[in-house]
């Protein structure tokens, strides 16, 4: 499993989900969606296979997801039915603090 | 990362929503139109030899189109200040060639036949192409690519070109805006100039939240009021001088209520807001939430906000320390850290004046050809002076360079201005340091009196003496009819200094 690069776009191998890496830890990360390793978004492969039932919480466009240690953060750019996990642990949804609109 | 990704998401979530309306002409662009036109323009830019995409024109639908097309094509977007002289503009263009320049029809002839410059008419950029074409989302996702080059106003020497990378702008948006959070009925009136960081931030955050932007290309209070009513505007951002004009304009009609209940939020920033102006505005707009934002070009716009709750708490409080927060710029955004440091670079205690330092993902602090001024721990020195109170509220005290050093004592012009502003006859005031043989520098004040009021220099001197230490008493006071401001409401102290001689 390669290291994740900030700004990289990855897609799910089993659903329509697509993410961008916002922040990544150094070292290898096994990032999965629906239980299957995510693939480069520009690759020609299309989604197939089944979502693992333990990885089926879904991802919503515009939501950010983080690992427990908050060293990994991704942004969902296309919604999907699979759930995200890093090294086997499900990612958590990060809240955007509601701010007054200033621009 | 790429700012185009923000538009891509908006386009897939609500393609048919109106994204931008030119308030002057009524023309509109939906998200899908903006997206496909950006793709078409990007292909043309790539086919040219240009390394920069330069825009020299007032706000229009071409403004967001240029920003996104540049991001898609992978070259920096460079919006120029159209109020500069032709000579100044030419010098900046020389620095960004080879480039494509998009400008208004009446300016095209001034820039024809220059080597390394392809000139386009703004209206052509908008009119042709961009429909029913198959586009590949092939923009670069390298977060280090430069999205925008912004020339800072540069009070001394040539303007500096601040480099904002895609990672800075995207971090700012992800950290401060919830995707698709705006209702279809929401509309934001944008009247800040397109070459100002607040103009860039307004485009990106509105697109990401799905909020319709109504553009006001040439500000006047009358036109602002008309557009707010016409488009049932819900959000607006103004600089202090604009708010002052809006308040005056409403008062001239005898209004005690602006009668714009749909205006849910009014943000201001970009300069010091006089207390009487904000107090009057809050009375005229009783249904509106006020926010004060502080930020710099080098920090991708806003780094601290005084929110509506803070405004209300300050007005309602009997505690003087809480009340004075009404003139603060609030607290740091999430993900942004703010420190105040002394001349030796050491962090100071709360309520102590010093230079403002800032750190965070959205902070660039980098200039083309000059490198980064961010230190090894990521801190950017803003050159703004200020202080933090115990609860982290930030108070601005002008530029660090504006400090008056009188006989070794550092005096803050802002502090003295605040005291003079409380005098009933004062409409506006600027305090600056002037050369003094004995003290090195001494305090001078320029006062704009309210109509038909007369107060002598000596009266003002004793007014300050009663309230501050004697070193703060202006040794020279002049009375002018107005003070010089730039178009974003910043007092031009340099001009005051020159005129005072």
């Amino acid at each position: 499993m390669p290291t994740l690069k900030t700004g990289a776009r990855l897609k799910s191998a089993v659903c329509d989900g697509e993410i961008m890496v916002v922040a990544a830890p150094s070292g290898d990360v096994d990032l999965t969606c629906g239980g299957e390793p995510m693939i480069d978004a520009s690759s020609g492969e299309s989604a197939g296979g089944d979502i693992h039932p333990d990885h089926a919480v879904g991802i919503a466009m515009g939501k950010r997801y983080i690992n427990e240690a908050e060293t990994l953060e991704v942004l969902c750019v296309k919604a999907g039915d699979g759930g995200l996990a890093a090294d086997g642990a499900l990612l958590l949804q990060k809240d955007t603090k509601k701010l007054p609109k200033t621009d | 990362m790429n700012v185009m990704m923000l538009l891509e998401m908006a386009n897939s979530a609500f393609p048919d929503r109106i994204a931008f309306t030119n308030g002057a002409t009524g023309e509109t662009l939906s998200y899908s139109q903006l997206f496909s036109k950006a793709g078409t323009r990007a292909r043309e830019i790539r086919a040219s030899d240009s390394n920069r995409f330069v825009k020299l024109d007032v706000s229009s639908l071409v403004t967001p189109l240029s920003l996104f097309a540049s991001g898609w094509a992978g070259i920096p977007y460079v919006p120029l200040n159209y109020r500069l002289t032709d000579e100044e503009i030419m010098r900046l263009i020389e620095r960004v060639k080879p480039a494509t320049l998009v400008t208004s029809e009446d300016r095209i002839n001034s820039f024809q036949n220059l080597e390394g410059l392809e000139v386009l008419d703004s209206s052509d950029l908008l009119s042709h192409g961009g429909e029913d074409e198959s586009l590949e989302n092939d923009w670069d996702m390298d977060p280090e690519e430069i999205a925008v080059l912004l020339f800072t106003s540069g009070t001394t020497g040539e303007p500096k070109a601040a480099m904002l990378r895609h990672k800075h702008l995207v971090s700012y948006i992800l950290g401060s805006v919830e995707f698709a959070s705006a209702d279809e009925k929401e509309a934001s009136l944008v009247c800040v100039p397109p070459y100002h960081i607040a103009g860039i931030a307004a485009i990106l955050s509105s697109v990401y939240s799905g909020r319709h932007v109504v553009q006001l290309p040439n500000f006047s209070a009358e036109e602002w009021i008309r557009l707010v009513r016409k488009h049932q505007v819900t959000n607006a951002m103004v600089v202090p001088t604009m708010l002052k004009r809006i308040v005056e304009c409403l008062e001239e009609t005898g209004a005690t209520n602006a009668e714009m209940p749909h205006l849910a939020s009014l943000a201001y920033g970009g300069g010091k807001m006089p207390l009487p102006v904000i107090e009057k505005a809050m009375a005229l707009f009783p249904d509106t939430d006020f926010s004060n934002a502080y930020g710099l070009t080098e920090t991708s716009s806003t780094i601290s906000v005084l929110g509506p709750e803070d405004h209300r708490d300050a007005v309602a409080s009997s505690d003087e320390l809480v009340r004075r927060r009404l003139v603060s710029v609030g607290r740091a955004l999430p993900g942004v850290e703010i420190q105040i440091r002394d001349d030796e670079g050491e962090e100071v205690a709360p309520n102590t004046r010093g230079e403002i330092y800032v750190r965070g993902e959205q902070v660039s602090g980098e200039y083309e050809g000059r490198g980064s001024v961010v230190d090894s721990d990521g801190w950017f020195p803003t050159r703004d002076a200020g202080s933090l109170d115990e609860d982290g509220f930030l108070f601005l005290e002008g530029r660090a360079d504006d400090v008056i050093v009188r006989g070794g004592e550092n005096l803050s012009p802002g502090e003295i201005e605040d005291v003079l502003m409380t005098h009933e006859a004062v409409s506006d005031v600027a305090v600056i340091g002037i050369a003094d043989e004995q003290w090195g520098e001494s305090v001078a004040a320029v006062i704009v009196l309210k109509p038909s009021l007369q107060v002598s220099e000596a009266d003002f001197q004793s007014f300050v003496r009663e309230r501050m230490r004697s070193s703060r008493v202006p040794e020279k006071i002049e009375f002018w009819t107005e003070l010089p401001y730039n178009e974003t409401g910043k007092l031009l102290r340099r001009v005051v200094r020159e005129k005072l001689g």
Side-chain angles (χ1 to χ4, degrees), chain A residues 6-9 18 20-23 61-64 73 75-78 95-97 99-103, chain B residues 1 5 8-9 12-13 141 143 172 174 176 178-179 201 205 208 211 235 237 265 267 291 293 301-302 305:
Chain A
T6 304
R9 269 179 87 146
E18 200 168 314
M20 181 198 70
V21 179
V22 177
M61 183 152 67
K63 296 295 177 198
R64 290 182 290 168
E73 178 177 329
L75 171 74
C76 171
V77 294
K78 264 184 202 158
D95 295 322
T96 301
K97 204 177 151 202
L99 292 168
K101 186 74 196 58
T102 59
D103 50 30
Chain B
M1 284 184 204
M5 191 189 67
E8 178 202 357
M9 291 167 70
S12 71
M141 285 294 276
Y172 170 63
L174 297 186
S176 62
E178 176 84 38
F179 177 68
S205 61
Y208 198 60
R211 183 177 291 115
N235 300 68
M237 193 264 170
S265 155
S291 302
S301 190
T302 308
V305 173

Side-chain angles (χ1 to χ4, degrees), chain B residues 298 358-359 363-366 371-381:
Chain B
E298 295 90 334
V358 56
R359 178 163 78 172
V363 176
S364 145
E366 231 184 319
S372 172
V373 296
V374 171
D375 72 16
S376 55
D377 294 321
W379 290 98
F380 168 67

Side-chain angles (χ1 to χ4, degrees), chain B residues 272 353 397 402-406 409-423 426 429-433 442-447 460-461 463-465 467-477 493:
Chain B
K272 198 177 163 102
R353 193 178 179 286
E397 319 241 12
D402 295 334
V403 173
I404 302 166
V405 186
R406 183 184 182 276
E409 190 183 2
N410 286 353
L411 311 179
S412 155
E415 227 175 18
I416 306 168
E417 286 164 2
D418 288 346
V419 165
L420 283 166
M421 275 305 284
T422 63
H423 192 290
V426 174
V429 61
V431 168
I432 60 160
S442 66
V443 178
V446 176
I447 293 174
F460 277 121
Q461 285 167 330
F463 182 80
V464 176
R465 194 171 295 115
R467 290 163 177 80
M468 305 184 90
R469 288 164 60 186
S470 62
S471 57
R472 273 103 175 139
V473 176
E475 278 152 74
K476 177 178 181 177
I477 296 178
R493 288 177 192 276

Side-chain angles (χ1 to χ4, degrees), chain B residues 98-407:
Chain B
T100 296
L101 171 71
V102 53
T103 190
S104 52
E105 200 186 352
D106 58 311
R107 281 190 186 257
I108 282 181
N109 285 336
S110 319
F111 303 100
Q112 290 292 13
N113 306 320
L114 284 178
E115 205 189 309
L117 193 69
E118 194 173 320
V119 188
L120 301 174
D121 184 331
S122 287
S123 46
D124 289 346
L125 198 76
L126 201 62
S127 57
H128 77 278
E131 315 288 341
D132 310 317
E133 293 183 69
S134 62
L135 293 163
E136 224 181 297
N137 299 353
D138 58 355
W139 53 84
D140 196 337
M141 285 294 276
D142 182 352
E144 301 298 329
E145 287 293 318
I146 300 165
V148 179
L149 267 188
L150 276 186
F151 286 100
T152 61
S153 39
T155 47
T156 52
E158 285 291 297
K160 291 183 282 189
M163 291 166 33
L164 298 175
R165 299 178 190 276
H166 284 280
K167 66 176 181 183
H168 299 127
L169 295 172
V170 173
S171 298
Y172 170 63
I173 295 302
L174 297 186
S176 62
V177 184
E178 176 84 38
F179 177 68
S181 54
D183 185 83
E184 191 163 6
K185 289 201 182 76
E186 289 183 33
S188 189
L189 183 61
V190 175
C191 53
V192 286
Y195 52 83
H196 191 276
I197 182 61
I200 307 271
I203 292 172
L204 296 177
S205 61
S206 297
V207 163
Y208 198 60
S209 62
R211 183 177 291 115
H212 174 199
V213 171
V214 179
Q215 300 169 313
L216 168 51
N218 292 301
F219 177 84
S220 74
E222 292 77 9
E223 187 63 1
W224 189 89
I225 292 166
R226 185 185 77 81
L227 288 176
V228 168
R229 292 195 171 128
K230 178 177 179 193
H231 294 279
Q232 295 285 294
V233 164
T234 54
N235 300 68
M237 193 264 170
V238 292
V239 300
T241 45
M242 292 173 181
L243 189 59
K244 187 162 184 266
R245 284 289 308 121
I246 292 162
V247 165
E248 284 167 0
C249 190
L250 289 166
E251 283 179 334
E252 280 159 21
T253 65
T256 52
N257 186 318
E259 285 171 24
M260 301 178 196
H262 45 83
L263 185 64
S265 155
L266 184 53
Y268 58 94
K272 198 177 163 102
M273 176 65 77
L275 195 55
V277 174
I278 184 64
E279 283 176 340
K280 277 183 201 164
M282 287 176 76
L284 281 165
F285 294 87
D287 306 309
T288 302
D289 280 347
F290 283 83
S291 302
N292 182 7
Y294 164 64
L296 298 93
T297 304
E298 295 90 334
T299 61
S300 312
S301 190
T302 308
I303 54 173
S304 76
V305 173
L306 183 78
E309 286 296 315
D310 302 322
H311 277 78
R312 284 190 281 267
D313 290 350
V315 169
S317 179
S318 54
D319 182 344
E320 196 50 44
L321 289 175
V322 177
R323 275 192 71 83
R324 80 180 196 104
R325 286 178 182 159
L326 200 51
V327 294
S328 83
V329 290
R331 284 180 283 197
L333 292 188
V336 171
E337 297 169 89
I338 294 175
Q339 271 189 2
I340 308 295
R341 299 187 188 176
D342 63 18
D343 292 344
E344 274 76 51
E346 295 296 320
E347 193 176 356
V348 301
N351 301 311
T352 311
R353 193 178 179 286
E355 185 179 347
I356 301 166
Y357 278 67
V358 56
R359 178 163 78 172
E361 293 287 329
Q362 68 185 70
V363 176
S364 145
E366 231 184 319
Y367 306 98
E368 189 173 53
R370 297 185 186 220
S372 172
V373 296
V374 171
D375 72 16
S376 55
D377 294 321
W379 290 98
F380 168 67
T382 63
R383 300 303 295 146
D384 278 338
S387 62
L388 285 168
D389 74 7
E390 280 85 357
D391 294 322
F393 284 83
L394 179 65
F395 292 81
L396 299 185
E397 319 241 12
R399 296 294 284 170
D401 304 326
D402 295 334
V403 173
I404 302 166
V405 186
R406 183 184 182 276

Side-chain angles (χ1 to χ4, degrees), chain B residues 44-110:
Chain B
E44 292 163 7
I45 295 169
R46 281 183 183 166
S48 74
D49 297 322
S50 300
N51 290 339
R52 308 287 162 80
F53 193 83
V54 184
K55 179 172 170 287
L56 177 70
D57 202 358
V58 295
S59 277
S60 71
L61 301 181
V62 176
T63 310
L65 177 56
S66 300
L67 170 64
F68 288 113
S70 305
W72 195 327
I75 64 172
Y77 168 56
V78 190
L80 293 184
N81 182 349
Y82 44 80
R83 292 169 199 265
L84 298 176
T85 64
D86 280 358
E87 202 187 306
E88 287 170 319
I89 290 167
M90 207 61 93
R91 276 210 298 277
L92 297 182
I93 286 176
E94 282 302 322
R95 286 168 63 181
V96 295
K97 285 197 315 188
T100 296
L101 171 71
V102 53
T103 190
S104 52
E105 200 186 352
D106 58 311
R107 281 190 186 257
I108 282 181
N109 285 336
S110 319

